[in-house]
Amino acid sequence: QKEVEQNSGPLSVPEGAIASLNCTYSDRGSQSFFWYRQYSGKSPELIMSIYSNGDKEDGRFTAQLNKASQYVSLLIRDSQPSDSATYLCAAGAGGGGNKLTFGTGTQLKVEL
Amino acid sequence: GAVVSQHPSWVICKSGTSVKIECRSLDFQATTMFWYRQFPKQSLMLMATSNEGSKATYEQGVEKDKFLINHASLTLSTLTVTSAHPEDSSFYICSGNRGQGLVSNQPQHFGDGTRLSIL
């Protein structure tokens, strides 16, 4: 069974701090990785995608991928209360096709 | 770009009713669409993968006769919950994906979801 593991949290950080969200995956064949943000009662929205080892930055967000360790992370700099949400990590199916395997999500709370 | 529209947002209906949910990709052609359901405080559960012009592929444990999926065009997929019962009450979310072929790196783009309540 292909799995994506995340700590469910909640992860609490003060406003302005860096929030670090982590994810591990079991399918060594996965080539694509995504971070989604989901507010309570809403559907997920795509924040970042990453395909190569290393860091990818987009505004306050940085995604990090280490395929050798099967590890993906998301850093949120200068965290804002509006960043409070559940963050879902997803890995593309290594065997082909378009399916994603989602983690259970990490709840982030940014406190004033 | 990559906007997915889902309709309706909310449905409240009596037990035994069939409910149709539409999912449209507005600014791209969605070769593949996916249907998920999500219970409160739980993660997304993939129900089925829908490819344009062919039968949907259902995940294990999902009744294909209960959840009818049609993907008649590259921009529209529908999910019909037949003879719905209270246990079918959930948040149903569709997503679209531009990818095709054996390997795709395209992300999925989600609709706003449909909250279904069966009385």
Side-chain angles (χ1 to χ4, degrees):
Chain A
Q1 176 115 8
K2 311 298 185 198
E3 293 184 343
V4 174
E5 303 280 347
Q6 293 182 258
N7 189 318
S8 63
L11 171 66
S12 293
V13 299
E15 185 178 6
I18 296 175
S20 178
L21 304 163
N22 304 312
C23 167
T24 58
Y25 60 95
S26 64
D27 184 355
R28 281 201 168 273
S30 291
Q31 298 293 320
S32 54
F33 305 89
F34 308 96
W35 283 98
Y36 288 85
R37 176 176 63 198
Q38 186 175 24
Y39 292 112
S40 181
K42 303 294 185 182
S43 66
E45 58 178 316
L46 180 68
I47 296 178
M48 294 281 289
S49 57
I50 188 166
Y51 308 105
S52 304
N53 280 329
D55 296 0
K56 179 181 178 182
E57 187 175 319
D58 184 1
R60 295 187 297 114
F61 299 98
T62 299
Q64 299 174 318
L65 173 60
N66 183 325
K67 290 185 179 180
S69 301
Q70 295 176 247
Y71 177 88
V72 192
S73 66
L74 179 70
L75 300 177
I76 305 175
R77 289 181 298 282
D78 188 24
S79 295
Q80 301 297 310
S82 58
D83 295 326
S84 298
T86 296
Y87 289 79
L88 302 172
C89 174
N98 304 315
K99 285 170 60 171
L100 296 180
T101 300
F102 284 87
T104 54
T106 298
Q107 185 184 6
L108 173 66
K109 293 185 177 180
V110 180
E111 298 167 334
L112 294 170
Chain B
V3 177
V4 175
S5 173
Q6 188 172 341
H7 178 82
S9 301
W10 287 82
V11 180
I12 301 175
C13 58
K14 294 181 179 179
S15 185
T17 306
S18 291
V19 178
K20 179 187 269 190
I21 303 170
E22 291 188 351
C23 181
R24 294 179 185 273
S25 56
L26 299 185
D27 55 358
F28 69 101
Q29 292 186 326
T31 312
T32 307
M33 287 186 171
F34 303 86
W35 288 94
Y36 296 85
R37 64 189 296 182
Q38 187 176 37
F39 293 106
K41 298 190 184 299
Q42 294 187 23
S43 190
L44 300 171
M45 186 195 86
L46 179 64
M47 299 175 67
T49 302
S50 169
N51 290 296
E52 184 265 338
S54 62
K55 289 185 179 180
T57 302
Y58 290 82
E59 295 299 301
Q60 191 172 8
V62 179
E63 300 174 60
K64 62 180 180 181
D65 296 329
K66 173 78 172 175
F67 300 99
L68 301 178
I69 292 172
N70 183 281
H71 193 158
S73 76
L74 284 171
T75 59
L76 174 64
S77 177
T78 61
L79 167 67
T80 301
V81 184
T82 61
S83 186
H85 293 284
E87 59 267 27
D88 298 321
S89 298
S90 188
F91 189 44
Y92 291 86
I93 316 172
C94 71
S95 69
N97 180 301
R98 283 192 177 96
Q100 54 186 315
L102 290 176
V103 179
S104 170
N105 284 335
Q106 297 296 320
Q108 292 179 20
H109 302 279
F110 288 87
D112 288 338
T114 298
R115 198 160 299 283
L116 176 63
S117 295
I118 309 299
L119 304 176

